[in-house]
Amino acid sequence: MAKRLQANDLNRKIAIQKKGRSRDDAGYPIPNPKDWEDVFPFDIWANREPLRGREFFAADAAQSEITVRYKIRYRQGISPDMRLVDKRDNRTYEIKTVLDDVFDDRTETHLMVSEVSNG
């Protein structure tokens, strides 16, 4: 059986962000819209597990993709069109997959994310 998330495992603060809105609820343009805005009004404690690295070539440019799993306490409303910002090292990751309710008891959410950098 997989190891359960413990409080002392949560050693990183992260923020979950979504694309900013350009129009308000009434349909009027918002002056100076943000590109990205936080989904939750607070930082989330998380555990980071690097999984693997992958290198590939696209259009004659070497690229590398770093895939990481972040484990957090159960949260609803996170989707793959959002991104994750790790506050410790200030890295930004694309959310690829959201694994809600991993143990079927509403205790953990796992986020599979990747950081793509051109090299």
Side-chain angles (χ1 to χ4, degrees):
M1 182 171 187
K3 180 182 176 245
R4 295 284 184 147
L5 190 61
Q6 301 294 318
N8 60 347
D9 293 334
L10 303 173
N11 58 2
R12 291 181 174 263
K13 284 188 178 183
I14 63 168
I16 305 294
Q17 297 180 335
K18 64 180 177 180
K19 289 199 183 262
R21 298 185 325 164
S22 60
R23 300 201 174 265
D24 63 12
D25 293 333
Y28 294 104
I30 296 175
N32 303 321
K34 296 179 182 176
D35 289 338
W36 292 91
E37 56 189 30
D38 290 345
V39 174
F40 304 105
F42 47 83
D43 290 337
I44 299 170
W45 286 98
N47 176 280
R48 179 180 186 267
E49 291 180 358
L51 296 178
R52 62 181 167 76
R54 184 173 76 178
E55 295 181 2
F56 56 95
F57 291 89
D60 293 330
Q63 298 180 341
S64 64
E65 180 179 303
I66 300 169
T67 304
V68 179
R69 174 188 297 145
Y70 279 88
K71 295 179 182 180
I72 61 174
R73 301 244 185 249
Y74 180 75
R75 296 260 187 259
Q76 289 182 331
I78 302 174
S79 61
D81 61 342
M82 298 177 181
R83 73 180 188 178
L84 182 147
V85 177
D86 190 327
K87 301 287 182 135
R88 178 184 284 181
D89 54 9
N90 206 23
R91 287 185 171 176
T92 303
Y93 298 91
E94 297 176 20
I95 297 177
K96 297 293 185 182
T97 307
V98 179
L99 304 173
D100 274 336
D101 205 7
V102 177
F103 295 107
D104 200 27
D105 60 358
R106 300 179 69 131
T107 57
E108 292 184 29
T109 297
H110 293 191
L111 305 172
M112 306 302 283
V113 300
S114 67
E115 177 185 43
V116 179
S117 60
N118 292 330

